[in-house]
Amino acid sequence: DTAVSQTPKYLVTQMGNDKSIKCEQNLGHDTMYWYKQDSKKFLKIMFSYNNKELIINETVPNRFSPKSPDKAHLNLHINSLELGDSAVYFCASSQDPVGVGPGELFFGEGSRLTVL
Amino acid sequence: GQNIDQPTEMTATEGAIVQINCTYQTSGFNGLFWYQQHAGEAPTFLSYNVLDGLEEKGRFSSFLSRSKGYSYLLLKELQMKDSASYLCAAVYQAGTALIFGKGTTLSVSS
């Protein structure tokens, strides 16, 4: 059983379109995250939810909207896609928010988004 | 910001020992993680240090000096499968997110 799963794994779309990436974790964790990894492999935090509540919202354009219907799911919707949105988006989860407990982040396999 | 610096690339040969250094800003620091990421795959957890000292886990060890804002990951008896990116990540406030460095790409040759 995959611990953190994301769909789709690959997404190719045109500029201006709207797309969503879904994430589910079956680890029973309370905290979930979205990270963006650019072409230079730099992983940058976008959002974090704890028990369905938004706790981190970095300076991300408001075209990006996360939604957490329950603590096992955190989806990412992107409106009006731009070329610069091309990246790999990683979902992750942890038992507690990092630094609160000793637990680490578990990452999904990533969703590679290409905007043409 | 919380700059986390690590070398961009390193090379080594099978069987050797390599040390990957990481420096970070100490203000507000709350713990340091190392992750391994193979090309096209997800990062996977290697180690966590919150107190000064060395944590050993098989062929991999991680060291932390809080006063110096310095950590290293030590990989012994290198194998070809250790070729990957190694990501240093710090947490600055409990309940926030991991802040990652830009990663060190390690190439192991025979």
Side-chain angles (χ1 to χ4, degrees):
Chain A
D1 260 355
T2 305
V4 183
S5 57
Q6 304 178 218
T7 54
K9 193 167 182 179
Y10 299 97
L11 191 51
V12 181
T13 189
Q14 300 284 336
M15 272 174 53
N17 284 350
D18 303 339
K19 290 294 175 187
S20 292
I21 307 171
K22 295 186 175 182
C23 179
E24 175 181 3
Q25 53 95 3
N26 62 8
L27 297 167
H29 288 168
D30 287 345
T31 310
M32 295 185 72
Y33 310 81
W34 277 111
Y35 278 84
K36 177 181 179 181
Q37 188 169 47
D38 61 24
S39 57
K40 294 182 179 176
K41 309 299 181 192
F42 182 39
L43 261 175
K44 189 170 179 187
I45 180 67
M46 299 175 71
F47 302 104
S48 174
Y49 274 72
N50 182 244
N51 270 319
K52 301 193 298 174
E53 282 196 32
L54 181 67
I55 57 172
I56 295 170
N57 183 353
E58 289 296 304
T59 47
V60 175
N62 53 18
R63 297 182 295 104
F64 290 78
S65 51
K67 281 194 171 56
S68 182
D70 55 63
K71 71 175 192 177
H73 295 84
L74 179 61
N75 304 323
L76 183 66
H77 187 75
I78 316 170
N79 289 330
S80 304
L81 278 157
E82 300 178 357
L83 293 176
D85 298 333
S86 295
V88 181
Y89 292 85
F90 282 100
C91 177
S93 74
S94 60
Q95 179 55 54
D96 300 300
V98 285
V100 171
E104 71 269 26
L105 264 60
F106 291 81
F107 284 85
E109 292 188 344
S111 297
R112 181 175 293 277
L113 171 66
T114 303
V115 182
L116 303 175
Chain B
Q2 294 109 2
N3 285 348
I4 298 172
D5 291 318
Q6 51 182 132
T8 305
E9 291 179 342
M10 297 183 73
T11 58
T13 51
E14 268 188 304
I17 299 173
V18 72
Q19 178 174 312
I20 303 174
N21 296 324
C22 171
T23 58
Y24 60 88
Q25 292 186 334
T26 56
S27 177
F29 173 78
N30 204 37
L32 191 120
F33 291 79
W34 283 94
Y35 278 79
Q36 180 190 59
Q37 186 178 23
H38 284 101
E41 297 183 9
T44 54
F45 171 78
L46 289 177
S47 68
Y48 173 60
N49 295 71
V50 65
L51 300 175
D52 284 357
L54 187 69
E55 296 275 345
E56 296 187 74
K57 199 186 283 188
R59 293 189 299 115
F60 291 7
S61 304
S62 57
F63 172 83
L64 180 69
S65 168
R66 293 180 68 115
S67 61
K68 295 181 180 175
Y70 169 68
S71 173
Y72 67 72
L73 181 69
L74 191 71
L75 293 79
K76 300 177 188 174
E77 300 167 18
L78 279 171
Q79 302 173 10
M80 298 290 283
K81 67 177 182 179
D82 297 329
S83 294
S85 283
Y86 290 86
L87 308 173
C88 175
V91 57
Y92 279 92
Q93 181 184 338
T96 62
L98 277 185
I99 307 299
F100 283 85
K102 294 188 177 180
T104 299
T105 300
L106 174 66
S107 300
V108 180
S109 58
S110 57

